[in-house]
Amino acid sequence: MVLPAFPFKSPNKKTKVLGDLPDKGEEVALQHLDGLCRAIEDVYPGGGRLYIVSDGLMYNDLLGVSDQEVWRYGQALRQLARDCECKNLYFVRLRELIEEGIEDPLSEEDYLRKAPSFRDALLKRHLPQDFDASAQITADADTTITYRGYIKFLETDLAGKIPESERKSKAQTKRYHEEVAKNMIARGKAFANSITARFSSHVRLSIHPSTETHKLSMSLIPQKSRSQMTPWHSALVQALDGSITMSHALSVPALTHELIYENGRPSHFRERSPLFHWPGMDVSFRYMYPCGLIVRPSSPGSNYSLHNVHMQLVRGLAEACSPVVLRGFADTTDEHTYEAKAYDLGAVAPWTFGVKQKVKDAGRQDRMANNVVSSEAMPMHYDGMFKFVKKTDAATGLEVSVSNPPRFQYFTSITPSAPGSGYTLFASSRLFWQHLPAPLTVASLSGLTWECKNSGFWDNHMKQLPLVVAHPATGEPCVRWHEPWPEWKTKFANCVIRMENAGQEYVGLVDRMLYDRRVCLYFSWMKGDVLVSDNFAMLHTRTAFEGESDRELWRIHFD
């Protein structure tokens, strides 16, 4: 795949963006694109590669942005991709569209010296001599859509940058914008032709709305709203629950949101909440993609103990944006401290074996063994599905066994598995509903029920299980599910799932959505991580890890 994108930050630093370098918006966009490639790899062994071709040098001189700013933005973007481990993204400079077999890296000095010649050479080689931007805008639907988009953002991008001679009236300002937009259309035509020539066998992606005849349009950032703002034309705004919107920086109200700095630079806006104020601790909060939050001491030298953490704040954050990870705190693997803090989180919900389970490979291979204490991958599920309590049926007066899942999970990582294995996956109900394909809605799925037949350790047959339940605290809709687990996937208990009042195609739909990279966090443990997750808002599973591995987590449930 190939995507022209990430040129430079908008020249309007006063109202639109937070600076001239990539920030949280670009970070999420890169992770989203890399997630697309990883999703392809999930179904196609060859995987997916995405080539990002910066079009910065094609347009920057038209908008008053220096070649040096384009260079620095591109360099910082590449470093950000490395920091986020976006291993499926590859970056292409303008030089590579006009020169073959380039191997030597380009220095900043060479880039700045040659930038104008790169631009001129590409235009000379790839723009037809008889190209007429006005005629193209009239005749081609995709060009018309792009042109209108250019006009719209130029109104804010060029605010305060129009030459004095062109600033006499609204009509003249409008004509100036139109001329710049037509120049951009002409240069865009040459740029598109060069991409077609260089990447003739690649799927062409686009950030612009289109007829999708010659390219596939996509949003760079999965946003809660329908806005298609790009990170170089706006700032990222994060709600307490982690949901994202993009907005012009000046439009974000200071009363409800605070500006967050990362690495000494403004990064994004975050919704204000008392849950971010931890008494006696200077900590930072970083949202993960696509869900969850990591809390760290702001200073690496801080030695904050888990013993002193206000766990009700952790619980509140977990209820809003699970999972919540405490990383870099002391005493998290001390058994007494870990167990004691569980009681600060809520009412501990013990199992028959006790309060705490040590989740590690027990070494058993027989079918009646508990797959939780094995090295196998597990199905997507919620904890406590097979935890039963006796209740009296109001209609019959008979005593019946009913499932009694706990509200939360509380983990600590004693020994993580080898890198690249033993991930814990968390699927968010909020994101499940956000990305559910039309025409499906929460309402259309709310009445569906399913049955589960499980063998082995979890031997049980459960019926009339609702696919959607209300969250006990917020009332928000939550997905309730257990992934089918056929015998060929496991040497332990297998599980057959059947929809009771809908077509069986819904089974596959739910499974696909729960593993969707826009919905599901692939979490890699570090030693000493403490994690709290809402067992109603989230579903979870585990990937396999090497047999006889020392991987060990401790887990406690609480309400």
Side-chain angles (χ1 to χ4, degrees):
M1 298 174 288
V2 60
L3 172 68
F6 300 98
F8 44 78
K9 284 290 194 182
S10 165
N12 186 347
K13 309 294 192 296
K14 292 183 178 180
T15 65
K16 292 185 71 173
V17 294
L18 297 174
D20 55 10
L21 293 176
D23 53 35
K24 189 72 172 180
E26 278 85 357
E27 178 184 320
V28 171
L30 293 176
Q31 290 175 318
H32 179 50
L33 292 171
D34 192 62
L36 169 63
C37 297
R38 292 175 187 267
I40 292 172
E41 187 177 4
D42 289 340
V43 296
Y44 171 61
R49 284 187 175 187
L50 176 61
Y51 292 86
I52 296 173
V53 188
S54 172
D55 49 0
L57 281 183
M58 292 306 301
Y59 307 118
N60 65 308
D61 60 319
L62 297 175
L63 303 179
V65 175
S66 70
D67 294 341
Q68 185 176 59
E69 187 173 323
V70 176
W71 166 267
R72 291 179 177 174
Y73 177 86
Q75 288 296 95
L77 190 73
R78 287 160 171 77
Q79 184 59 52
L80 184 59
R82 288 191 290 270
D83 293 344
C84 295
E85 298 185 349
C86 296
K87 298 178 181 178
N88 300 291
L89 305 183
Y90 300 82
F91 295 90
V92 180
R93 294 194 189 277
L94 206 65
R95 177 178 73 153
E96 296 167 63
L97 298 179
I98 56 177
E99 297 180 8
E100 296 287 342
I102 300 171
E103 294 183 1
D104 58 309
L106 196 65
S107 68
E108 181 177 1
E109 182 182 0
D110 286 342
Y111 180 90
L112 296 179
R113 180 166 50 84
K114 296 179 178 180
S117 64
F118 293 153
R119 186 186 301 118
D120 293 343
L122 189 142
L123 287 169
K124 184 177 180 179
R125 184 179 302 180
H126 292 288
L127 182 64
Q129 289 186 351
D130 59 348
F131 181 78
D132 185 326
S134 296
Q136 183 77 5
I137 291 166
T138 301
D140 182 70
D142 279 345
T143 306
T144 303
I145 295 170
T146 301
Y147 174 73
R148 289 171 179 169
Y150 285 163
I151 291 292
K152 184 176 181 180
F153 83 72
L154 285 172
E155 292 173 0
T156 50
D157 263 21
L158 295 181
K161 284 186 172 289
I162 299 176
E164 194 69 36
S165 59
E166 302 288 344
R167 225 183 291 167
K168 295 179 180 178
S169 68
K170 287 185 177 180
Q172 286 176 318
T173 299
K174 182 174 180 292
R175 281 198 297 274
Y176 181 78
H177 290 163
E178 289 171 349
E179 284 306 309
V180 173
K182 287 175 183 177
N183 269 325
M184 293 178 70
I185 289 294
R187 293 190 182 189
K189 176 65 173 178
F191 187 63
N193 287 346
S194 71
I195 289 177
T196 300
R198 174 70 172 77
F199 296 97
S200 58
S201 61
H202 292 61
V203 175
R204 171 74 150 81
L205 304 180
S206 176
I207 62 168
H208 300 292
S210 71
T211 59
E212 303 204 340
T213 305
H214 305 292
K215 55 188 179 182
L216 300 179
S217 298
M218 66 173 297
S219 174
L220 279 182
I221 296 179
Q223 301 174 51
K224 190 174 182 179
S225 67
R226 292 185 177 274
S227 168
Q228 295 298 309
M229 284 187 179
T230 60
W232 52 90
H233 283 298
S234 57
L236 186 142
V237 184
Q238 205 134 29
L240 176 61
D241 66 3
S243 57
I244 292 171
T245 54
M246 301 300 292
S247 171
H248 289 165
L250 196 63
S251 301
V252 182
L255 187 64
T256 56
H257 292 77
E258 58 183 319
L259 179 59
I260 303 301
Y261 284 73
E262 292 182 355
N263 301 316
R265 300 199 308 265
S267 170
H268 63 286
F269 293 94
R270 186 183 70 202
E271 182 180 0
R272 294 183 183 274
S273 169
L275 294 173
F276 294 121
H277 300 289
W278 288 28
M281 293 185 177
D282 181 12
V283 294
S284 65
F285 303 87
R286 187 177 183 86
Y287 283 93
M288 296 181 282
Y289 178 81
C291 58
L293 188 69
I294 292 185
V295 186
R296 291 185 178 93
S298 296
S299 171
S302 298
N303 194 34
Y304 301 137
S305 171
L306 177 64
H307 175 76
N308 296 320
V309 172
H310 289 246
M311 300 305 277
Q312 283 298 304
L313 293 175
V314 178
R315 178 188 174 115
L317 287 171
E319 201 166 81
C321 56
S322 278
V324 173
V325 179
L326 307 186
R327 179 168 287 174
F329 289 80
D331 303 318
T332 58
T333 59
D334 177 79
E335 198 158 3
H336 174 75
T337 302
Y338 168 71
E339 289 191 24
K341 297 306 284 186
Y343 293 88
D344 290 347
L345 283 163
V348 169
W351 286 70
T352 54
F353 53 75
V355 167
K356 177 177 82 268
Q357 180 163 39
K358 295 186 176 182
V359 182
K360 60 181 180 179
D361 187 2
R364 286 183 59 177
Q365 302 294 318
D366 56 290
R367 193 159 187 79
M368 293 306 293
N370 183 352
N371 62 341
V372 174
V373 288
S374 76
S375 60
E376 268 196 1
M378 294 183 65
M380 189 70 78
H381 67 286
Y382 58 95
D383 276 358
M385 179 176 176
F386 305 111
K387 182 181 182 181
F388 298 97
V389 295
K390 298 291 186 181
K391 287 190 176 181
T392 302
D393 187 294
T396 65
L398 300 175
E399 188 177 65
V400 293
S401 294
V402 295
S403 182
N404 186 36
R407 281 287 315 279
F408 294 91
Q409 305 155 301
Y410 167 48
F411 289 96
T412 190
S413 173
I414 305 304
T415 307
S417 58
S421 69
Y423 293 102
T424 300
L425 279 55
F426 294 93
S428 161
S429 288
R430 173 181 64 82
L431 295 173
F432 182 100
W433 304 123
Q434 180 176 325
H435 297 293
L436 191 67
L440 297 174
T441 62
V442 177
S444 67
L445 298 188
S446 290
L448 302 188
T449 60
W450 50 285
E451 68 170 331
C452 170
K453 293 181 180 179
N454 220 321
S455 67
F457 184 86
W458 303 107
D459 187 22
N460 208 286
H461 184 187
M462 303 174 70
K463 298 181 179 180
Q464 292 294 305
L465 295 165
L467 179 62
V468 184
V469 299
H471 190 278
T474 67
E476 294 295 316
C478 299
V479 182
R480 272 296 197 227
W481 190 247
H482 189 295
E483 181 184 359
W485 210 241
E487 290 186 5
W488 62 266
K489 279 190 174 184
T490 178
K491 52 180 169 288
F492 304 114
N494 70 296
C495 177
V496 177
I497 302 296
R498 187 184 70 84
M499 300 302 299
E500 293 178 321
N501 56 355
Q504 300 312 303
E505 66 272 12
Y506 280 91
V507 174
L509 168 74
V510 174
D511 285 341
R512 288 192 300 273
M513 286 301 303
L514 290 173
Y515 283 95
D516 190 308
R517 297 280 178 156
R518 299 167 299 173
V519 173
C520 184
L521 170 71
Y522 285 63
F523 180 71
S524 181
W525 294 91
M526 293 183 67
K527 182 178 176 62
D529 281 350
V530 166
L531 184 148
V532 177
S533 183
D534 188 317
N535 192 43
F536 274 73
M538 311 295 291
L539 295 167
H540 68 284
T541 185
R542 176 190 71 211
T543 66
F545 57 96
E546 293 180 4
E548 300 181 1
S549 167
D550 291 333
R551 181 188 192 269
E552 180 176 349
L553 307 176
W554 295 346
R555 187 198 66 198
I556 296 176
H557 290 131
F558 66 93
D559 291 323

